Amino acid sequence: MCGIFGAYSPRGKKVLEDVYLGLYALQHRGQEAAGVAWVNEGGRISSIKGSGLVHLALDQAKLAEIDASCAVGHVRYSTAGGPDLANAQPLTASTSKSSLAIAHNGNLTNAAGLKLFLENRGAIFYSATDTEVILHLIAHQPHKQPLDAFVDSLTRLRGAYSLAMVIGQDLVAARDPWGFRPLVIGMRDDVYYVSSETCALNLVGASIVREVEPGEVVIFGPGGIETIRIPVNVKRRFGCAFEFVYFARPDSVIDGRSVYEVRKDLGKKLAQRAPCPQAHLVTGMPDSGTIASMGYAGESTIPYEQTVVRNRYVGRTFIEPTQRVRELGVRIKLNPIEKILSGKNVVVVDDSIVRGTTCQRMISMIKACGASQVHVRISSPPVRFPCYYGIDTPTRVELAAAKMNLRQLEREVGADSLAYITEEDLIDAIGLPADTVCTACFSGNYMEGEEDSEPGL
Ligand code: AMP
């Protein structure tokens, strides 16, 4: 997971507060750490990183004062490397030719092999992230100009990378040739932005220019914008379906498709495929199932009700996991409204079942309020395979839908009925050609099955 944001002003405007705000809007993509890196007057790179949420990790007022017109930032959700601060990004480095800072969203699938190759040639890694491999690959080609070394390095990578970088005094954005993770360009006056999602561009008042194309490197420098193709031939695109299902903010637009509209349509299609005529009301798991549940309600004409209220101030790290708190479990975060649920047949819509814990707890909570029947509808196909491209899914043995068939899972979570959307309906709702969408977590069709996965070094 993770979110990245970059800003560049060719006229020397200060951009650090915008980067801070951009990260603030991308907070949902990672809550473990946040950081920014920028170019100083003399071309040196400075960075500040901290643990936790953006407003705790970074000092907005201090950043706003710093005179920097080229900067990148990152919010971290650790998928590769642990949560400690050494793994927080942007990572920075200096070579004899240039200073570098890198913010990465995605997971490289051949990082271990590359790391071994580099270590055998003397590289010393200071973090446990796959991202650091990219810096070492650049440093490994000292005879080349940094940008050429960077583009060459990208040809060695497999898997997912959306990058916002500082190379020298330029802002550089790059997206892997498969286009796993989103990355979009924005502009306000003469300031350029790159962002994981459009919602962050909305916040800084930037208009959306276009996506960084899969396989494209975009350089924002004093001379304007330059673009380079990464010389890797790929058979097809692999844009992440799970961004639409769960991960991206609903007010974002990915590949020209509104995430909100896709989720609503998923709910509508679920209502067509898996109707529940005996239900008195439709509700969504807050907040992940809310939009799809409204789509379900609209299509089925069963009334929508908000039956569970979420404490919106609950963070991941705020409450100590004592025994008492563990016993309270999901109630710390969610509280059902008994008056609405009592005696009712309820359709509960959520976006996904991963380990199955959330679903099980929600059903028992709703039943404890006196609901007569709970029918669960999931707006993604069963998650049966781990993601190696940057979404934090557990191993197969922990994935509920990989261990159990539908009926077993229905019993396990305590639902009166359980139904998922089909992969065809998911693709249809996303509205992009099927051979451009990655469904590996549902289908097990990984990019490695189609492409040369170990490029030469
Ligand atoms: P689980 O309790 O493990 O079945 O998790 C499913 C719930 O977590 C769903 O309500 C999703 O909204 C949410 N979810 C799905 N994928 C992820 C993820 N990669 N990281 C965190 N939460 C997730």
Side-chain angles (χ1 to χ4, degrees), residues 139-404:
H140 209 66
Q141 307 173 68
H143 49 288
K144 287 190 186 161
Q145 285 306 316
L147 188 63
D148 295 338
F150 172 60
V151 175
D152 181 276
S153 303
L154 297 182
T155 66
R156 320 275 162 188
L157 307 180
R158 291 297 176 269
Y161 57 87
S162 279
L163 303 173
M165 291 189 68
V166 175
I167 300 182
Q169 315 247 7
D170 297 342
L171 172 70
V172 178
R175 197 166 170 211
D176 65 70
W178 301 276
F180 281 103
R181 303 270 145 247
L183 191 61
V184 60
I185 302 171
M187 198 172 184
R188 194 197 68 225
D189 304 328
D190 58 349
V191 182
Y192 296 104
Y193 301 91
V194 293
S195 173
S196 290
E197 288 184 40
T198 58
C199 64
L201 297 178
N202 297 150
L203 178 59
V204 298
S207 55
I208 293 148
V209 176
R210 66 173 176 88
E211 309 244 329
V212 176
E213 292 295 322
E216 187 185 24
V217 177
V218 185
I219 304 112
F220 303 87
I225 304 181
E226 188 193 338
T227 101
I228 299 173
R229 299 293 315 169
I230 304 167
V232 171
N233 289 325
V234 301
K235 299 204 177 86
R236 49 161 288 198
R237 285 195 53 182
F238 275 84
C240 173
F242 214 70
E243 293 274 353
F244 288 101
V245 166
Y246 168 73
F247 199 37
R249 244 171 65 162
D251 49 337
S252 285
V253 175
I254 300 174
D255 243 332
R257 301 284 298 139
S258 149
V259 175
Y260 180 93
E261 284 179 354
V262 170
R263 287 187 192 161
K264 195 108 187 261
D265 199 30
L266 287 169
K268 183 175 155 187
K269 289 187 159 60
L270 253 181
Q272 292 162 350
R273 291 267 179 191
C276 190
Q278 72 271 43
H280 300 115
L281 59 95
V282 178
T283 194
M285 204 88 97
D287 301 319
S288 51
T290 305
I291 299 165
S293 71
M294 290 182 339
Y296 193 105
E299 180 67 12
S300 63
T301 68
I302 302 166
Y304 166 83
E305 295 283 357
Q306 185 186 350
T307 61
V308 179
V309 175
R310 181 191 171 118
N311 178 340
R312 48 180 80 181
Y313 304 100
V314 173
R316 279 162 174 267
T317 51
F318 285 175
I319 295 185
E320 289 298 320
T322 59
Q323 186 53 32
R324 171 83 178 121
V325 164
R326 264 191 289 271
E327 281 162 18
L328 293 173
V330 75
R331 258 192 200 263
I332 297 262
K333 196 156 120 181
L334 304 169
N335 196 30
I337 304 172
E338 194 172 338
K339 191 126 188 12
I340 302 181
L341 289 163
S342 179
K344 299 286 179 14
N345 297 336
V346 185
V347 171
V348 180
V349 182
D350 199 9
D351 70 291
S352 60
I353 293 179
V354 182
R355 291 182 176 85
T357 342
T358 312
C359 191
Q360 192 175 39
R361 288 183 181 160
M362 275 293 293
I363 293 170
S364 72
M365 213 161 69
I366 289 173
K367 288 215 162 162
C369 284
S372 311
Q373 295 175 9
V374 180
H375 300 272
V376 176
R377 299 291 180 265
I378 303 293
S379 65
S380 68
V383 176
R384 292 201 177 99
F385 299 88
C387 175
Y388 301 117
Y389 311 119
I391 297 275
D392 183 32
T393 40
T395 54
R396 278 210 86 184
V397 287
E398 295 167 89
L399 290 172
K403 290 191 293 194
M404 288 171 259

Side-chain angles (χ1 to χ4, degrees), residues 59-81:
D59 184 335
Q60 179 196 352
K62 212 157 131 190
L63 287 173
E65 280 175 16
I66 296 171
D67 197 8
S69 56
C70 180
V72 294
H74 187 266
V75 286
R76 176 167 174 77
Y77 184 115
S78 59
T79 44

